[in-house]
Structures are given as structure tokens and as C-alpha cells.
Amino acid sequence: MGFKEIVKRFLGYRGTIATATVVKEGEEERRLSGYRFYLDYLIKDRVAAVALAIITLFTAWSIVEGILQYVGFATRHRALGWALLPSNPIALNFAESLKPPSLSHFPAYIFGTNFSGESILSRLLYAAPKDALAAYLVVFSGIIIGMLVGTFAGYFGGWADEVLMRVTDAFLALPGLVLAIALSVLLGAGYNSVLISLILIWWPTYARFFRAQALSLKSRGFVEASKLSGQNSLMIILRHIFPNSVDPVIAYAALDFGNVILTYSTLAFLGIGIQPPYPEWGSMSSNGLPYFPQNWWWAIIPGLVIMTVVVCFTLIGDRMQDLIGGRLTY
Amino acid sequence: MSVLEVRDLVVEYSTVYGVLRAINHLSFEVGEAESVGVVGESGSGKSTLGLSVVRLLPPNARYAGGSIILDGQEVTRMSNSEARRIRGTTAFMIFQDPLNSLNPVKKVSTQLLEAVEMRCKKLGETYDVEKATREVVEKIRDVRIPDPELIMERYPHQLSGGQIQRVIIAMALLMRPKLLIADEPTSALDVTIQAQVLKLMNDLKKEYGMSIMLITHDISVAYNISDRIMVMYAGELVELGSADGVIRSPMHPYAKALIASIPRGVMRDAPLEPIRGSPPNMIHPPSGCRFHPRCPFVMDVCRREEPREVHQDARVVRCYLYG
Amino acid sequence: MQISILIYLVRRVINAVVTLLLLIFLIFVLVHTIAPTPVALARIYCGSPHCPPAELQVIIQQYGLSLPLPVQFAHYVVNIFHGNFGTDTLYKVPELQVIGELLPITLELVITGLIFAVIIGLFTGSIAAANRNNPVDYTVKAVYLVTWSAPVFLVGFILQLFLAYELKLLPPSGLANPTLGNPSPVTGYPYLSVVPQPLQGWLSGLVRAITSPPLIAAAVDGDWRFFVSGLHHLVLPALAIAITSFGVVTRLTRASMIDALDRDYVKLSFMKGLSKNRVVYGTAFRNAVIPIITLIALLFGFSTAGAVVIEDIFQYHGMGYFTVQAIYNLDYIAILAITIVVGISVIAANLVADLLYGWADPRVRLE
């Protein structure tokens, strides 16, 4: 196997595919419906399949661990939160302080320990549900708010559209991170205030996107036809505009989960969000800052974990954008 | 001696779905000061033919056989730098979409002067800006644009489609090529502008005596300015002959159908016959004669074996009905 | 033709001012939604949740927090346009003074980082486009997919670990060698005596602003030891910013190069007999960089945000580092001032990009 083949295998590329049409031998054409089509293609693509597997694992773990933590808090048995973990993520044990990654006490110390002797692996696993929840919640509420606001503004036009464009202009004039910092500091410390500020700043991009879709769809033949046949606007939006504008946004959203995780963990790195002693990927990394570079694992390993998860989301999003064959415009 | 001689040419594209043979064993020639119209529906390989003559095929295409002799030189085996030498001064190609044909960020004058500069470099003439500018002005006037100085100071987006196509023809005149390849030069223009540009090309052909290969899907456009017409179907030559001959007495069923489908002026009762069926799949083409699924005169042999070229006087036709 | 350029300029400037006003309104609305009562607002201005009630009343009086909202908003806008962002709750000096000192340092860092990012991005993007769908293209893609997915702090840590601590090529942190004194900003007064009096103050402010980034100040002062040391300290953080942002440039460059290479004008340039290099890097590239200009303005905002983290890791004492301190000290006034200043910088960057865009693309300029 030559270099070319290896790289091709590694990246799983088969040239550019312009449309979502699968052509089989003998001229039989079939168009798979949205999700089936994506899934079908992504599973065949090795790298994307690995990325998909990692994301599935991350999500599944987050759900299980998240439920355990929630039930633990609700029933005042917090230990339930670390029942599945190699060790208690918030138990101080200074005897094991600052152990480098090793195979002893497998698997608790494979990522080493921090100053308080807590296993970094346990802390990473314990914090995962928070990142997953942030990513899914922020993106989905962004899509929902953006879809409602953007579609109606684009479809009806006029002053509502003008106001929407100006408001989103103002939001997009600021880097998301800076606005998120300002908002969450004003809202006060805590996980919820970070979630609220992320949701507040995340929708304008989607509103712009859905607006553009509505604008181009409303002059298309099938929408004109429904208008002429006397359907009311609400029905047209529900039947035609929404379903047709969601498809391309899925690819962007896949990529966006990664963006949320990056912003969320950067906020955590700056000390905004979940407060000690509870762990959080970004803040774990920043807590290691004073011990850097002697105890490099403390700062670097959480960063690597964030990167792995984000790369997987980016990769899936990128492949999906290739598949639908277009860059998004908004 | 002919300017262009294509012998048994095969061009293939590799695509995601398999190998696509865009040109299949094609032979013809273009004589000096002669104009040949290449006619075919989209996907018939006519544009690929134009690009393969000037060696501008896209990266996924390759010459799979045969030869192209342009002004005595073999094109298919040329290195890139040799190919550069033949482009422009030996053969010049103009493209379909006028709105995309000029560089949007440079003034018309800059782009035309660049052409003169390149020609001078190739022919070993000395390049002098003032002389070149005068030449450019003269050529713009030649393509019937009234205010050359005004046009030269413009950017492409400020010109109309017809004006751009004229500017590009002026560029061709500046390069003084032996062979001009025009790929659908009028398809994107309004009908009235189309007629003007065609008339212009006709005049210039006589004035400058260059050979022209006109690629078009519209057989009436080809008839207007060509001495001979070649009809292509699915990458193969189906009929080649004098323009009058092919138009007045087409031999191949496809050529017949093509001519029958032209709307004839304003005569409302003239029969208008569309060609039945749809263009062939080029990755898995039909067996035998590629036109057989759509042919009204289809015979058994057409399905089995590919027809050979039949030469009758100056006429070439590929069909079992003849020879 | 001249008039249309002028109209273009004026329209862009008006657009920028409107966006700025909207941004201020947005922040005003958000602050007032989070703190709807005068007392809650006063707590924010006080900078501590445990402020004695008497002091709160003083603040309400001082800032006019019980006035009707439209009046408050008018005051707020006027204050901002006068450069009055309030007094820092920690240092007890006007915010403008603090930010005025720190912003040039951050701008210097961000702009250097962006220059790196644009160079890397244009280079890798056009190489990928020229080698479309072959190993070079895939390798470039693999690299940028990873770098743009990496959190800024990870990139900072890894650069520090390898280039500073392992290879000892560059200093790991700080603005410059601390034993060297800071260069003084230049006011240009001695040279300005030829200018009429009323212009002097204004011009000297301009000179001061331009020469305030430490490297430029050092160069103007002729303090070359500081200059070299500052440059050494600048490279790593700027590189960290570049690494996290070049992927976007690469991706867009590749896409727009491919788009340009497929255009008929590129084929026509080949037809003229121009060399491949002249066509690819002259004709196609010239058209492909146009969309990049807008992207750079977007990246400017992104990198300024990234600089907050980078300055924290590299102990680079600019506005980003100040932001981190403000977060820890719950210095709301500082954070709001920084937000507005970043907004102004980004809007200004967008304006510059718009003007450059008009300069680069005749289609925009002459419409």
C-alpha cells in the first residue's frame, strides 16, 4: 500500500460527491431520505465511522453518568455519581498528590493525579455529562429559536425582517466568547448561568441561516403553488418551509456541537461556570496552570480530551457538508 | 495541408461512478481557412473535443488513444511547456459563458494588452506598450464596438454579454491564431445579439482567413458560418460533410432527427419533431450503435456491432443504412 | 466613478455607526434585564454583592440609576462616545486609562497572530486547491481539522512545553525581559510645533495611539534591546493564536481557489499562453483572496477572544490578562467596558475590511 492509499484510507475520501444521490450499477437511482443517507455514508467511511463511534460513546456515557449524578443528588446519595468511576473524583488524598500517568491502580492513574491526589481520569469522566448537555442543549435551542425567528422574518419580510437583521448584526459584532464572558459574569457563577448565556448568544447564526432559507424557498414553485391554492401562511411554513430548510442545517449543527464545547470549556478555563470542588474539563486544565510544565499531564490531558471530542464532531460535520455538496450561506 | 488533424482520438474521464469515455475513436480534420461546425447535444463530447485540442482537459481526464496533430505538432504527447507554446498563437479557444470569461478584477485594456504581450513573446516580436495599445484599439473597432477607448477603461462587470464576447473575439484577433475554437460562443446571448456576433465571426473569418472550429448544440448556428458540419453523438462521429449537404440531405438518422427538430422560422404548419428518448448513459453506453435505442430505423445488427465509418465522396457517415 | 466610491465609503461608515449603536443598546438591554432594579444595578456598579445600602444609594445618585430608562440609555451612549466607561472598581482609575494602556498590547499580539494565520492559511489553502483530491490536499485538511478543533489553551500549553521548556527556543512567558524598562510612548510634540495650535492635541493623540504598542514604541525610542526581547516574547503567543485560527483561512482559500480555477477566465488566461504559475497565483489567486478579506475581520474578533486565554497562559499583560483578573475580581465595570471596546474594535475591523473589499473588487466599488 503506497503513501497515497494510506492517506486516502485514513481520510476515507472518494472524490467529491456533488449530490445526495446514490447511483448503483444498472442506472438504478435512489435517494435515501436524510438521516438514513447520512448514516449509510458515514458508516462506510472509516474515519467518520470512528468519529461517530467516539461521539456515540461520549453521548451514551454522558447519559448514563448524568442520570446517576442526577439521581444521586436528588436522593442525597452523591456517591451514586461515582459508582461507575475508577475512584471518587472529589476525594482529597494528598498521599497520591501529582502522580504522573501510570498503569498502577489501573485504570485510575492512567492520566495521573492532580495536587489533591484526585484521579484525572475519574474527574474527566465525572465532568463529561456537563459538556454533553451544554453542547446538545445550546445547539438545539439555537436551532429552535433561530428557526422560529428566522423563518417568520424571512417569510413575511418587512419591518420584522429588518429588526431581526439589525439585532443579529449587533450580536454578531461581538465575538461569542466575549459576550458569553460578560453575560455569565453578570448572571453570577454557576453552570446554569453559563448555559443561559450560551443559549442567548447562540441563536443569531441560526436565525440568519433559516431566514436565508425561507427567503429562497418562498419564491420556489411548490410554495407559490400552495399560496395560489389558498393555503394559509402558517400551513405553508409548517408543511414546506420548515422541512426543506432543516436538512442543510443538520450538517452545520454537527460541526457546531464542537464549537459549543470549545466555548464552554474556554469559559470554564477562565473560571466561569461550575465551581470547585466539582470538576470541569476546561477548569481542570486551568487548575494545572501553576503546576506547568513540571506536572504537564494535569493541564494538557483535559485539553487533549476536549480536542478529541471536538475533532470528532468537526469531522462528522465536515463530511456531512461535503455530502450535501454546499457551503452554507447566511 | 490541414491545420488540425484528429486521428482515432479517445478521451476518458475517471469519475466516482466509473470511467466515462467522452470521445470514442474520433477522426476528422480542419483545413486552412476552413470552418467546421461541431454539432451535438450536451454530453456528446463536443466541448471535451475543444479542450483536448488545446490541452486544457480537467485533471480527471486523460488521452486514452489516438492523436491530435495541430499545425504539424502532436498535442497528446506534449509536455506542459510545449502545450503553452501552442496555446494562443496556434490555437485559441473562447468559452461559452461571457459573464465568466474575463477576469473580474482587471480592466479590459489590461487583459487585452496581456494578450499582445504574450503573442510578442512567442513570436519574438518586441513589445511596445504604445504600439500595442494602438493595435488593441484597432481590433476593438474591428469587432464593431464603437467607442474603443471607453470600453478599454471598463471592468468586465460593466459590459454586456454581447460586448464581452466581442472583446474576447478581439483578443483572439490579437493573438492571431491559426485555429480558433469557439465553444458555444452565442448560446448565452440574446437572439438579436447572437445574430450580430455570428455575422461578426463570419466577416472576420473572411477578413483574417483563420480556421474556425465552432462547437454548438444548434445546427442552424453551425450552418450559418461553417463550410463543413460534423455531427457527434455520445462521443462518436455520426455524420460529417459539407454544411449544405448535411443540412439539405442528412443521411444519419440522428442528423435527420436533429434537423427535423429545428423550428423553421415563422411557418406554423411546418412539422416540429422532437427526438424521442433521452441522451445515453455515458458510463454504460448502449451496445452496438450508441444511437440504436432512439433510432426509428433500428435493425438487429445495430444492437450487436458498432457501425464503421462509410465514406461517400466528401461525406462520412456511421450507420448500417449505408455502404 | 469617483462619486460612487464616495457613496460606498459613506454607506459603510454609516453602517458601522448604526451597528455600534445597536451593540450598545443590546448590552444596555441585557444588563437591565439581568439587573432590573436600581439597587441591583448599583450592586453591579459597586462590584461586590455585599455593598452597604448607604453606598448603594450614593451610586444610584451618582450614576442616575433611578432615572427613566430612555434617559439612562442616552447618558450611557453619551458617556461611551466621550470615552467615559466608568471607574475601575479595583484600581480606582478611569477604565479608559487602563484599557488605553492595555489595548495596544493586545492589538499588537492579535494582529501579529492574524498575520501569521493569514500567511499560513493562504499558503496551505492554495497548495491544497492546486493539488485537489490528492494526498497533499488530504494532509492539509487533516491538519486544519485538528487545529481548529483544539481548545486555545491546549495549543498554548503545547507550544510552551515544546518550544519554550523542551527546546528552549523562546521565552515561555511575559511581555519582555522584566529587567528592561518599558519604552515611553511618543507624543510627537517637538515635531508638531509647525502644526496650527488646535490640531496639535488631536494629532499628538493620534501619534500616541499609533506608537503605543510596545514594539513600535521601542522601535521609535531606538530601544533595540527591548524591541528584540519583546519580539522574542511575542512569537509564541502570536503563534498560538495563528494555529487556532488559520484553518478557517485555509478552508476558505481552498474553496475559493477551486471556484476560481474552474472559471472560464482562468481557462482564457491559459489560452493566452500564460504560465501555470502566473495563472494560478496571479489570475486565480487575485480573485480568490477577495472573500478572505471579510473573513479576516471575523477572525479578528475570534482571535481577540482567544487572546484572553492566551494572555493568561503566557502571562502577557495586555487587555486579555486584565479581563481574566476582572473575572476573578467580579469587576463588572471593567468587563462591560472591555466588551464595548472589543465590540468597537471588531466593528472598526469590519469597516476596514469593507473598505479593502471595495478596493480589491471593482464590482463592489463601482456598483
Side-chain angles (χ1 to χ4, degrees):
Chain A
M1 200 193 298
F3 174 64
K4 201 168 170 175
E5 271 61 46
I6 294 172
V7 175
K8 266 194 179 169
R9 276 270 173 95
F10 173 63
L11 289 155
Y13 246 74
R14 296 181 197 89
T16 334
I17 290 174
T19 54
T21 308
V22 181
V23 177
K24 287 221 159 175
E25 288 285 310
E27 294 179 55
E28 182 207 341
E29 283 187 14
R30 65 200 172 99
R31 200 188 136 92
L32 297 171
S33 64
Y35 311 95
R36 268 292 309 284
F37 170 69
Y38 287 135
L39 214 60
D40 206 56
Y41 187 81
L42 291 176
I43 288 172
K44 279 187 207 143
D45 180 333
R46 286 186 187 203
V47 179
V50 171
L52 207 61
I54 293 178
I55 289 172
T56 315
L57 210 65
F58 165 67
T59 312
W61 168 259
S62 299
I63 293 172
V64 172
E65 173 68 19
I67 290 175
L68 283 180
Q69 283 178 25
Y70 183 80
V71 173
F73 269 98
T75 59
R76 291 170 190 277
H77 290 90
R78 281 192 306 157
L80 207 55
W82 45 87
L84 294 179
L85 302 180
S87 65
N88 183 342
I90 52 174
L92 307 183
N93 180 7
F94 290 100
E96 299 292 337
S97 175
L98 296 175
K99 287 269 185 292
S102 71
L103 291 176
S104 65
H105 296 84
F106 186 83
Y109 291 174
I110 54 168
F111 289 157
T113 63
N114 63 11
F115 181 73
S116 327
E118 299 152 340
S119 153
I120 289 183
L121 175 69
S122 300
R123 286 173 72 80
L124 285 170
L125 288 173
Y126 189 81
K130 298 281 193 282
D131 285 73
L133 180 66
Y136 291 116
L137 189 69
V138 169
V139 170
F140 284 128
S141 44
I143 291 177
I144 291 167
I145 302 172
M147 185 152 141
L148 291 174
V149 179
T151 309
F152 281 91
Y155 186 80
F156 293 109
W159 62 267
D161 188 35
E162 193 59 31
V163 169
L164 171 80
M165 288 306 280
R166 295 303 129 227
V167 170
T168 50
D169 266 352
F171 267 102
L172 299 175
L174 268 178
L177 184 64
V178 172
L179 197 54
I181 290 174
L183 278 178
S184 28
V185 170
L186 282 173
L187 281 168
Y191 184 60
N192 291 345
S193 71
V194 171
L195 283 188
I196 292 170
S197 54
L198 284 178
I199 289 171
L200 270 177
I201 62 166
W202 223 263
W203 64 273
T205 320
Y206 286 99
R208 287 260 182 138
F209 180 76
F210 279 104
R211 172 187 174 272
Q213 289 278 309
L215 270 183
S216 78
L217 284 171
K218 80 174 177 187
S219 54
R220 293 269 288 277
F222 58 93
V223 177
E224 296 280 0
S226 326
K227 265 189 231 165
L228 290 174
S229 64
Q231 278 202 16
N232 69 32
S233 303
L234 193 68
M235 287 311 283
I236 294 176
I237 288 178
L238 286 178
R239 285 243 177 94
H240 300 300
I241 310 275
F242 278 170
N244 281 297
S245 44
V246 166
D247 214 26
V249 93
I250 296 172
Y252 179 75
L255 215 136
D256 217 22
F257 292 126
N259 289 339
V260 176
I261 294 182
L262 279 183
T263 312
Y264 172 73
S265 47
T266 307
L267 286 173
F269 183 90
L270 296 172
I272 299 167
I274 292 174
Q275 297 303 307
Y278 294 105
E280 163 43 51
W281 291 358
S283 60
M284 285 169 73
S285 195
S286 75
N287 292 339
L289 181 55
Y291 300 88
F292 192 79
Q294 292 76 20
N295 311 108
W296 54 269
W297 59 90
W298 187 356
I300 284 192
I301 284 175
L304 287 175
V305 170
I306 296 169
M307 190 177 83
T308 311
V309 172
V310 177
V311 163
C312 292
F313 278 119
T314 312
L315 215 115
I316 298 289
D318 184 76
R319 282 291 195 285
M320 283 163 90
Q321 285 196 0
D322 280 354
L323 281 181
I324 60 171
R327 296 187 295 280
L328 290 178
T329 48
Y330 56 87
Chain B
M1 196 195 118
S2 50
V3 173
L4 173 69
E5 208 182 313
V6 175
R7 284 280 155 260
D8 219 21
L9 180 68
V10 181
V11 176
E12 290 176 346
Y13 288 92
S14 57
T15 71
V16 211
Y17 309 120
V19 173
L20 185 155
R21 187 168 275 200
I23 294 180
N24 191 18
H25 298 291
L26 182 76
S27 306
F28 75 106
E29 51 195 57
V30 179
E32 224 158 286
E34 187 197 30
S35 64
V36 173
V38 180
V39 182
E41 54 198 9
S42 47
S44 61
K46 55 191 198 309
S47 294
T48 303
L49 176 62
L51 291 173
S52 53
V53 171
V54 292
R55 264 194 75 115
L56 273 183
L57 288 172
N60 63 337
R62 65 184 193 99
Y63 298 103
S67 73
I68 299 173
I69 299 191
L70 178 67
D71 196 30
Q73 298 165 73
E74 170 60 59
V75 175
T76 58
R77 277 185 287 278
M78 265 180 190
S79 71
N80 283 334
S81 61
E82 282 169 329
R84 244 182 85 196
R85 232 168 291 139
I86 58 138
R87 279 183 211 134
T89 45
T90 312
F92 190 84
M93 181 161 174
I94 61 185
F95 301 96
Q96 178 169 7
D97 182 8
L99 299 178
N100 261 325
S101 287
L102 289 178
N103 187 346
V105 298
K106 283 186 184 162
K107 282 183 185 168
V108 170
S109 56
T110 321
Q111 303 193 42
L112 289 177
L113 285 172
E114 213 173 48
V116 183
E117 190 193 330
M118 290 313 295
R119 184 199 71 206
C120 291
K121 218 182 253 174
K122 279 185 193 164
L123 303 182
E125 302 167 12
T126 47
Y127 174 71
D128 172 68
V129 182
E130 267 178 46
K131 216 177 100 196
T133 312
R134 250 178 287 131
E135 200 185 334
V136 168
V137 170
E138 185 190 312
K139 289 293 185 294
I140 297 183
R141 206 166 272 138
D142 275 1
V143 295
R144 323 283 188 260
I145 297 180
D147 274 323
E149 284 85 0
L150 198 72
I151 288 287
M152 282 175 69
E153 285 311 299
R154 295 248 167 113
Y155 285 95
H157 75 277
Q158 297 170 304
L159 307 184
S160 69
Q163 280 173 321
I164 292 183
Q165 214 55 302
R166 281 156 203 258
V167 166
I168 290 169
I169 293 172
M171 188 184 286
L173 297 179
L174 288 167
M175 300 297 295
R176 293 187 209 142
K178 297 207 167 72
L179 173 69
L180 176 67
I181 303 171
D183 185 1
E184 306 268 10
T186 58
S187 308
L189 305 177
D190 287 346
V191 183
T192 47
I193 312 288
Q194 227 178 62
Q196 290 172 13
V197 171
L198 284 177
K199 184 174 179 309
L200 172 70
M201 285 185 67
N202 230 341
D203 293 352
L204 293 173
K205 185 183 86 185
K206 283 174 198 141
E207 226 171 286
Y208 287 82
M210 58 174 81
S211 309
I212 295 181
M213 183 169 133
L214 177 81
I215 296 167
T216 177
H217 65 277
D218 187 343
I219 200 165
S220 52
V221 166
Y223 178 62
N224 266 321
I225 50 171
S226 312
D227 304 323
R228 290 195 297 153
I229 287 180
M230 174 165 81
V231 181
M232 284 181 75
Y233 184 79
E236 293 176 341
L237 179 154
V238 293
E239 184 160 357
L240 172 69
S242 71
D244 275 327
V246 173
I247 292 286
R248 288 185 207 291
S249 57
M251 294 170 75
H252 193 280
Y254 177 65
K256 280 182 185 163
L258 208 56
I259 288 158
S261 66
I262 308 173
R264 280 180 196 76
V266 289
M267 290 161 63
R268 206 187 281 177
D269 47 353
L272 198 57
E273 289 170 28
I275 305 177
R276 32 180 214 132
S278 51
N281 178 327
M282 294 290 285
I283 293 173
H284 308 288
S287 58
C289 171
R290 292 182 172 191
F291 188 58
H292 85 252
R294 301 168 76 184
C295 182
F297 311 106
V298 60
M299 299 178 284
D300 258 0
V301 61
C302 303
R303 297 197 180 93
R304 274 182 282 113
E305 278 168 66
E306 290 190 23
R308 290 173 189 286
E309 287 182 0
V310 181
H311 293 254
Q312 283 185 358
D313 305 326
R315 189 74 80 88
V316 185
V317 64
R318 257 172 95 122
C319 181
Y320 283 114
L321 291 174
Y322 305 95
Chain C
M1 205 143 57
Q2 293 304 322
I3 290 174
S4 62
I5 297 175
L6 206 66
I7 292 175
Y8 175 78
L9 285 177
V10 170
R11 276 202 353 222
R12 294 288 103 190
V13 172
I14 291 177
N15 202 359
V17 173
V18 169
T19 313
L20 178 59
L21 283 175
L22 279 165
L23 175 66
I24 296 171
F25 182 65
L26 177 74
I27 291 172
F28 182 81
V29 169
L30 290 174
V31 170
H32 281 257
T33 318
I34 291 169
T37 63
V39 176
L41 276 173
R43 283 220 179 84
I44 285 181
Y45 278 78
C46 176
S48 155
H50 314 293
C51 218
E55 201 176 317
L56 286 180
Q57 286 309 315
V58 173
I59 290 173
I60 290 173
Q61 284 302 312
Q62 190 185 345
Y63 289 97
L65 298 181
S66 54
L67 294 171
L69 285 181
V71 179
Q72 280 195 49
F73 180 65
H75 282 184
Y76 193 54
V77 173
V78 170
N79 274 337
I80 285 171
F81 278 86
H82 280 113
N84 181 4
F85 295 101
T87 309
D88 193 281
T89 34
L90 201 65
Y91 299 103
K92 307 294 178 206
V93 286
E95 271 329 324
L96 186 68
Q97 195 182 324
V98 183
I99 291 174
E101 245 170 65
L102 299 178
L103 182 66
I105 298 174
T106 299
L107 283 184
E108 188 176 82
L109 170 65
V110 168
I111 289 172
T112 315
L114 275 186
I115 291 172
F116 286 169
V118 170
I119 292 172
I120 302 175
L122 289 179
F123 185 69
T124 50
S126 35
I127 285 186
N131 299 287
R132 190 177 347 170
N133 294 339
N134 77 16
V136 178
D137 188 13
Y138 301 147
T139 312
V140 168
K141 186 167 196 167
V143 170
Y144 79 68
L145 280 185
V146 170
T147 53
W148 85 10
S149 303
V152 192
F153 47 87
L154 178 69
V155 175
F157 281 136
I158 287 179
L159 283 181
Q160 243 180 7
L161 189 63
F162 288 104
L163 295 183
Y165 291 118
E166 283 297 320
L167 300 174
K168 301 199 179 353
L169 288 177
L170 292 158
S173 63
L175 262 181
N177 188 338
T179 57
L180 301 169
N182 281 355
S184 52
V186 183
T187 55
Y189 267 124
Y191 310 101
L192 288 175
S193 49
V194 286
V195 187
Q197 192 63 42
L199 276 178
Q200 272 188 18
W202 194 82
L203 265 180
S204 115
L206 189 70
V207 171
R208 204 188 159 94
I210 292 173
T211 58
S212 53
L215 284 188
I216 297 179
V220 174
D221 271 4
D223 185 352
W224 296 109
R225 280 178 57 208
F226 184 91
F227 184 83
V228 171
S229 162
L231 206 59
H232 266 113
H233 285 77
L234 178 64
V235 173
L236 272 191
L239 206 58
I241 286 180
I243 286 175
T244 47
S245 36
F246 84 91
V248 195
V249 183
T250 307
R251 189 182 157 102
L252 186 64
T253 307
R254 179 184 178 274
S256 57
M257 272 296 269
I258 285 176
D259 180 63
L261 286 171
D262 282 344
R263 296 292 175 124
D264 281 350
Y265 57 76
V266 166
K267 286 190 205 139
L268 200 72
S269 301
F270 273 120
M271 277 323 307
K272 286 186 206 165
L274 297 177
S275 67
K276 189 179 174 193
N277 280 339
R278 198 162 154 194
V279 176
V280 173
Y281 298 103
T283 311
F285 187 72
R286 174 76 171 71
N287 278 284
V289 286
I290 294 175
I292 313 274
I293 296 173
T294 322
L295 182 72
I296 293 172
L298 276 175
L299 267 187
F300 174 79
F302 178 77
S303 308
T304 314
V308 175
V309 174
I310 289 297
E311 290 187 6
D312 189 29
I313 292 175
F314 287 91
Q315 300 287 304
Y316 203 85
H317 292 196
M319 199 174 67
Y321 186 79
F322 177 58
T323 312
V324 180
Q325 303 306 311
I327 294 171
Y328 287 140
N329 299 321
L330 293 181
D331 187 347
Y332 300 107
I333 302 286
I335 286 174
L336 287 178
I338 290 167
T339 308
I340 297 219
V341 167
V342 170
I344 293 173
S345 321
V346 173
I347 290 171
N350 271 304
L351 183 64
V352 171
D354 277 346
L355 300 184
L356 279 176
Y357 201 107
W359 168 74
D361 190 346
R363 282 165 296 189
V364 175
R365 181 186 349 139
L366 302 176
E367 266 318 303

